[in-house]
Amino acid sequence: GAVRVVVRTLCLAALLGALGAGGTELTLELPDSAQRCFHQEMESGIKFTLDYQVISGGHYDVDCYVEDPNGKTIYQETKKQYDSFSHHTEVKGVHTFCFSNEFSTFSHKIVYFDFQVGDEPPILPDMNNRVTALTQMESACVTIHEMLNAVIDSQTHYRLREAQDRSRAEELNGRVSYWSVGETLILFMVSIGQVMLLKSFFTEKRPSSGGAGT
């Protein structure tokens, strides 16, 4: 009855609050020979996770590195299409993570990244300190929460795949269009050349005038 409706409402609110906590998603444009950095201040002993993927541009690769507040490089990869990195901070301060396209002189890149800070909070109050077993409704909330997380991850994956495939399709379409225009111009020039050549075969040559009169 009404109690069950209230419990379901609270459960849904807890799920939505947990899904939106502690995360940043961003899609950025990275011009050729450029680098973009982001900064996040964190306490010591905090877990963070960085997931990124190149959606379009060049060979779909990018350089990425992460530095702690002391300038120590804790992660560095070159020409990666996608990767995931998790780490527990050792010192308090501003951590920096950068994406670099400096190795490319003409290819613009579109990069997606997801930056998560801290552990996910419990979806139910005092869930970590419970000494009794979860009720059937609480177990259902936990199960639904895990399924929603899986759905969100799947949607993100397919959204990135769709964007990457669309970029490749547009690039291929552009190449086909340019090739078609080039073929048309070549055929047009060959046709003009053939017409001029045939015309030269059927053109009468006028005889040159004779000697001077006496």
Side-chain angles (χ1 to χ4, degrees):
V3 176
R4 177 169 295 182
V5 173
V6 172
V7 173
R8 288 180 178 175
T9 304
L10 292 175
C11 180
L12 180 59
L15 288 173
L16 294 177
L19 289 176
T24 299
E25 292 184 79
L26 185 64
T27 301
L28 61 98
E29 180 178 1
L30 195 61
D32 53 283
S33 303
Q35 175 177 284
R36 295 193 63 180
C37 296
F38 300 86
H39 311 277
Q40 177 67 42
E41 185 172 2
M42 292 180 284
E43 298 290 335
S44 176
I46 298 296
K47 178 184 177 181
F48 69 87
T49 301
L50 174 64
D51 298 314
Y52 64 91
Q53 179 175 339
V54 181
I55 300 176
S56 67
H59 296 288
Y60 300 88
D61 52 359
V62 70
D63 295 345
C64 180
Y65 67 88
V66 181
E67 292 183 349
D68 67 7
N70 297 327
K72 176 184 176 182
T73 301
I74 56 179
Y75 171 83
Q76 184 173 12
E77 290 290 344
T78 58
K79 296 185 178 180
K80 295 283 290 188
Q81 295 183 350
Y82 58 89
D83 202 7
S84 178
F85 172 68
S86 297
H87 183 73
H88 284 81
T89 59
E90 299 177 354
V91 293
K92 176 183 177 181
V94 177
H95 289 67
T96 303
F97 60 98
C98 299
F99 298 99
S100 174
N101 192 33
E102 294 177 326
F103 61 88
S104 178
T105 56
F106 59 88
S107 296
H108 283 56
K109 308 289 177 62
I110 302 296
V111 182
Y112 162 87
F113 73 87
D114 181 12
F115 188 71
Q116 300 288 336
V117 179
D119 294 324
E120 185 178 11
I123 64 174
L124 299 174
D126 299 328
M127 183 174 175
N128 294 334
N129 299 324
R130 293 283 295 273
V131 295
T132 59
L134 297 177
T135 64
Q136 184 176 0
M137 183 62 67
E138 291 172 339
S139 299
C141 288
V142 174
T143 302
I144 294 173
H145 173 66
E146 294 175 351
M147 294 176 64
L148 286 176
N149 278 337
V151 169
I152 291 175
D153 291 340
S154 298
Q155 288 180 337
T156 301
H157 172 73
Y158 288 120
R159 186 172 68 249
L160 293 177
R161 287 291 300 273
E162 189 273 338
Q164 191 177 69
D165 292 341
R166 178 183 295 273
S167 174
R168 289 179 176 176
E170 292 177 352
E171 182 181 358
L172 181 60
N173 179 67
R175 291 182 179 181
V176 171
S177 299
Y178 288 134
W179 180 256
S180 300
V181 171
E183 284 186 331
T184 302
L185 293 176
I186 292 175
L187 290 175
F188 184 71
M189 294 175 62
V190 170
S191 299
I192 293 178
Q194 290 178 341
V195 170
M196 295 181 64
L197 181 62
L198 291 174
K199 185 178 180 180
S200 65
F201 288 158
F202 295 98
T203 300
E204 295 182 358
K205 296 182 179 181
R206 295 180 180 181
S208 58
S209 57
T214 56

